[in-house]
Amino acid sequence: MPTPDFDLYLVTARNQTHGRDLLWVLEAALAGGVEAIQLREKDLGGRELFFLAESARKLTQRYHARLLINDRIDIALAVDADGVHLSTASIPIESARVLLGRQRLVGASTHSLEEAAEAVRNGADFILFGPVYFTASKAPHGSPQGLATLKKIVEKISLPIYAIGGIKPENITDTRRTGVRGVALISAVMSAADPKDATKKILKLLKR
Ligand code: TZP
């Protein structure tokens, strides 16, 4: 089974870059050392997403980083991405696996112990759990899960766990203490004044 080899998983949101080109922000983050990117531009149609994914693939290859595509297995295969990232609204993990084969990564977003356990049963390679802290984009979906719940997930779930939701340099040390494999984030890099420096700072904290 493939296993994620990254500590920092950058999730894209081209509406959070303060008007800067998404590929520019991604290249800055890659230059800062980011090891894995999830292309998550849910509102784009297949054609636009394909061309964006193709450019992101070239960039990530140049920096020897992983590229995963949110939800779209067809696009992941078309651009030879390293895997897909699925939510509970996506095609089932087992069906994705049939299409993707054993070599590509399948990440699963989860919001409870039950969802995480189900992702394990269905064959995910790693799990995102959150939102751990408050984050504006997820505020309508309820209150943050908190570190105690995250710790419980890490203890009970046998797969690598990545914390997501409100992850910032200030809370990385506390988050890591729960035993997570790494962190996933959007705004701390996408919206940073200097995405390269922000990435470097986060990675330094993660690898300490
Ligand atoms: N899933 C759970 S929280 C979240 C997603 C996609 C948003 C994370 O964004 P940020 O800006 O890192 O809090």
Side-chain angles (χ1 to χ4, degrees), residues 15-192:
N15 61 352
Q16 290 191 46
T17 64
H18 300 308
R20 300 167 299 190
D21 181 63
L22 178 62
L23 292 169
W24 180 87
V25 176
L26 294 186
E27 178 145 26
L30 288 162
V34 84
E35 308 145 310
I37 291 174
Q38 180 199 144
L39 190 65
R40 182 177 185 266
E41 301 300 329
K42 294 179 171 195
D43 60 317
L44 287 185
R47 191 175 176 84
E48 257 188 296
L49 188 62
F50 169 81
F51 287 117
L52 182 59
E54 198 178 45
S55 300
R57 173 73 294 186
K58 285 185 190 140
L59 264 183
T60 46
Q61 262 167 349
R62 187 154 12 108
Y63 287 87
H64 308 289
R66 264 24 88 225
L67 175 69
L68 285 87
I69 309 291
N70 184 274
D71 210 35
R72 296 286 303 259
I73 294 162
D74 54 344
I75 306 261
L77 289 171
V79 305
D80 194 23
D82 298 295
V84 291
H85 198 92
L86 303 177
S87 74
T88 48
S90 300
I91 180 172
I93 293 168
E94 314 89 291
S95 306
R97 181 68 75 194
V98 173
L99 294 167
L100 288 161
R102 301 299 313 170
Q103 301 311 316
R104 290 183 220 263
L105 287 165
V106 178
S109 283
T110 66
H111 308 90
S112 65
L113 181 59
E114 293 68 35
E115 284 182 10
E118 198 178 342
V120 175
R121 284 196 296 277
N122 294 335
D125 297 314
F126 70 98
I127 282 174
L128 247 62
F129 181 78
V132 175
Y133 300 100
F134 174 83
T135 184
S137 64
K138 290 282 166 174
H141 303 290
S143 46
Q145 308 260 7
L147 287 179
T149 309
L150 176 63
K151 194 156 189 286
K152 202 166 76 186
I153 301 281
V154 171
E155 283 163 4
K156 299 211 161 150
I157 297 294
S158 53
L159 287 177
I161 310 286
Y162 290 78
I164 188 166
I167 304 289
K168 310 272 175 231
E170 308 82 81
N171 55 35
I172 282 183
T173 303
D174 284 347
T175 307
R176 266 191 63 207
R177 279 203 196 104
T178 61
V180 288
R181 173 67 184 81
V183 299
L185 49 82
I186 299 178
S187 52
V189 168
M190 285 284 134
S191 309

